[in-house]
Amino acid sequence: MKLVCEGIDLSDAVLKVVKACATKTVTPVLECIKLSARNDSLIVLATDGEISIQKTIKADIYEEGDVCVPGRYFSDFIKKLEGVQLTLSTDEKRMTIVYADSQTEMQVLSAADFPVIDTDINENSFRLKTADLKKFINATSFCCASDDSRPILKGCQFVIRNNELCATSLDGFRLATIHGELISATGDMEIVCPVRTLSEIEKMIDGDGETEIFVQKGRILVEVDDTVLTSRLYNGDFIKKENIIPKEFTTKVKVDKAALKASIERAAILVRNDKNSLIIFDVTADKIEISSNSEIGSVQEPVKAQVEGKDVKIAMNSKFIIEAVNALTEDKLVLAFNSQIQPFICENEEAKDRLYLILPVRTMNNA
C-alpha cells in the first residue's frame, strides 16, 4: 500500500474512528485501525465487535492495499501531523510515514484478521429531526446502567408506534422516558441500543437537518457525510415502564426549578463523599425543606412550593434528583409522591413529553 494524503484529513478521520477501538481484549487486531486504500480514497475503520466507525477521505493512491495499525498510538501520532502532507507506505510488517524531511516507522498487523463489517443495513428505518434525536439521547442516556449485571439496561429502548418515538432508559434506581414525533418510519419497531452507540451518534450529528437510522437483524446504521457508524443492538425483554410508573399520587408539588436546583446542589456538597449522597425532602403545606447531614456539617433550607395532598418526608440520592431536574426544560416543575418508600416522579409543569422516576433511599426512619 502506498498513498499521499493531507495530515488534517487523516487526523480528523482517525480521531473519529479510534473511539471504536477495543481497549481490553485478547484479540490484538481489535485494538487496531484498519486502513484501506482504494481508487482515490482512504477508508479508515475501527471496531471492538459491538460498534464500528468508518470514515472515508480523499487520497492519492499509488498502490492499493489494506493494513492494520495500532489504534491509540497511530491516533496520537497522526494528531501531531495535522499541518503537513503525509506519505504512507507499507511492507509486510511496517508502515513508513514520511512528512516534510522526516519519517517514522510503525509496526502493523495483517488486515486479513480484521473482522468483516456489514454496512448493508437498510431493511427498516426511521427519520427524525437531528435536533430531536439529540434531545432524545440527552434526555435518557444518563439513566442507563453502567455495570454488566443486567446488560440490556446498558442500552436505551426505542419504541416506534404510529410515527411516534418513545425512548426509555433505567438503571434499577431511576427511569427516564421521553416521546415525540418522527418525520417518517417504515413501520412499527422496538430496539434497545447501547448507550455508548448513542453517545457516538450524538457526537456525529450536527445542525438543523434530519437524521435517518437504519435497522436490520439486530444491528443499526447511521451515516453522516463520509462517516458510517454501525452497532449491534441488545437482545432480550426490556422492562415495561407502564408497570413501574405510578398512575396516581397522594402528594403533588409545584416548585420553581432554579430555586429547587440551587438548594439541592448546596445540600449535596456536604454529602458528596457519602455512599448514597443522601438528601431529604420534607414536604409540608407550602414548602419543601431540603436537608443533608454528614461529618462535614449539615444543611437545612426551605424552598417555597405549592403543595396539594399529604405531607411526606422522603430521602433520595442527590445525584439522581440533580440530573433529573437539569434534564427538565421549564421554569416550573412538578414532583409527585405517594410515600417515603415508593418511587416518585419529576416532570415539567406544562410539557409532558418527558418524565423522570426515582426510587427513594431507605433510612432508619423509613425502613
Side-chain angles (χ1 to χ4, degrees):
M1 182 179 79
K2 186 175 182 179
L3 63 95
V4 176
C5 65
E6 296 299 326
I8 185 66
D9 294 338
L10 182 57
S11 177
D12 176 65
V14 168
L15 289 174
K16 277 185 169 68
V17 309
V18 73
K19 302 166 190 173
C21 287
T23 53
K24 296 179 180 178
T25 177
V26 295
T27 310
V29 76
L30 293 182
E31 297 180 5
C32 292
I33 291 172
K34 181 183 178 184
L35 304 178
S36 299
R38 297 286 186 276
N39 298 321
D40 60 351
S41 300
L42 176 64
I43 301 168
V44 185
L45 171 65
T47 184
D48 62 359
E50 177 176 271
I51 183 174
S52 74
I53 304 176
Q54 174 181 296
K55 172 79 173 176
T56 303
I57 64 172
K58 290 188 176 297
D60 295 323
I61 308 299
Y62 296 99
E63 183 180 334
E64 292 188 348
D66 305 272
V67 71
C68 290
V69 294
R72 304 291 171 181
Y73 291 105
F74 188 71
S75 171
D76 291 343
F77 190 80
I78 295 299
K79 186 179 179 181
K80 305 297 183 182
L81 298 174
E82 292 184 346
V84 297
Q85 192 176 71
L86 307 177
T87 299
L88 310 182
S89 58
T90 63
D91 56 28
E92 290 184 358
K93 295 184 178 180
R94 291 185 179 276
M95 168 180 281
T96 301
I97 307 170
V98 178
Y99 46 99
D101 296 326
S102 305
Q103 76 173 45
T104 295
E105 290 189 343
M106 190 173 292
Q107 287 186 337
V108 297
L109 296 178
S110 170
D113 298 326
F114 197 85
V116 175
I117 305 301
D118 181 12
T119 57
D120 186 20
I121 299 172
N122 55 19
E123 183 177 339
N124 298 294
S125 69
F126 57 96
R127 181 184 292 272
L128 68 169
K129 292 179 180 178
T130 299
D132 286 346
L133 179 55
K134 280 182 173 284
K135 179 178 70 174
F136 281 118
I137 295 171
N138 291 330
T140 56
S141 58
F142 64 90
C143 283
C144 291
S146 57
D147 61 73
D148 295 320
S149 59
R150 301 179 71 182
I152 199 168
L153 297 187
K154 295 174 69 177
C156 180
Q157 181 197 51
F158 281 17
V159 176
I160 295 169
R161 298 282 187 272
N162 302 319
N163 229 42
E164 183 174 278
L165 170 62
C166 180
T168 303
S169 64
L170 69 157
D171 62 7
F173 302 99
R174 53 183 172 163
L175 175 148
T177 186
I178 180 172
H179 62 87
E181 293 185 356
L182 298 172
I183 295 172
S184 64
T186 56
D188 293 351
M189 64 188 88
E190 182 176 325
I191 63 173
V192 180
C193 185
V195 67
R196 177 174 166 235
T197 299
L198 293 175
S199 176
E200 294 304 328
I201 292 173
E202 197 272 337
K203 294 171 187 174
M204 285 172 55
I205 57 179
D206 192 22
D208 300 321
E210 301 174 0
T211 299
E212 187 166 16
I213 297 177
F214 296 90
V215 182
Q216 182 173 318
K217 295 179 180 178
R219 297 189 66 81
I220 68 165
L221 179 147
V222 179
E223 183 172 359
V224 179
D225 298 327
D226 294 318
T227 303
V228 179
L229 178 147
T230 67
S231 172
R232 72 176 180 89
L233 301 170
Y234 289 144
N235 294 318
D237 295 326
F238 202 81
I239 293 173
K240 295 185 182 298
K241 69 178 187 300
E242 296 81 6
N243 297 337
I244 299 175
I245 301 172
K247 295 178 174 58
E248 296 181 352
F249 299 92
T250 58
T251 306
K252 289 191 176 182
V253 181
K254 186 188 299 183
V255 63
D256 180 80
K257 175 182 173 178
L260 180 68
K261 177 183 174 182
S263 184
I264 294 170
E265 288 177 342
R266 285 190 290 268
I269 291 172
L270 297 186
V271 292
R272 63 188 176 195
N273 292 325
D274 293 354
K275 180 181 178 181
N276 290 317
S277 299
L278 199 68
I279 65 170
I280 295 173
F281 280 15
D282 191 355
V283 180
T284 54
D286 58 356
K287 70 179 186 298
I288 306 174
E289 192 166 87
I290 299 172
S291 62
S292 66
N293 185 46
S294 71
E295 294 179 354
I296 305 299
S298 62
V299 173
Q300 193 165 331
E301 295 188 7
V303 176
K304 290 182 179 180
Q306 299 177 32
V307 180
E308 295 180 5
K310 300 178 180 179
D311 293 354
V312 63
K313 189 173 185 179
I314 190 167
M316 68 199 68
N317 185 304
S318 61
K319 176 177 180 287
F320 294 170
I321 184 65
I322 288 172
E323 290 183 338
V325 168
N326 284 338
L328 293 168
T329 56
E330 293 182 357
D331 294 335
K332 295 289 185 181
L333 307 182
V334 172
L335 311 181
F337 308 89
N338 277 317
S339 76
Q340 59 187 0
I341 60 172
Q342 292 178 285
F344 67 95
I345 67 165
C346 317
E347 57 185 347
N348 292 315
E349 179 188 17
E350 299 293 339
K352 302 300 183 183
D353 64 324
R354 65 188 73 191
L355 176 147
Y356 296 93
L357 176 143
I358 300 172
L359 290 180
V361 177
R362 288 179 178 266
T363 65
M364 294 294 293
N365 294 328
N366 66 11

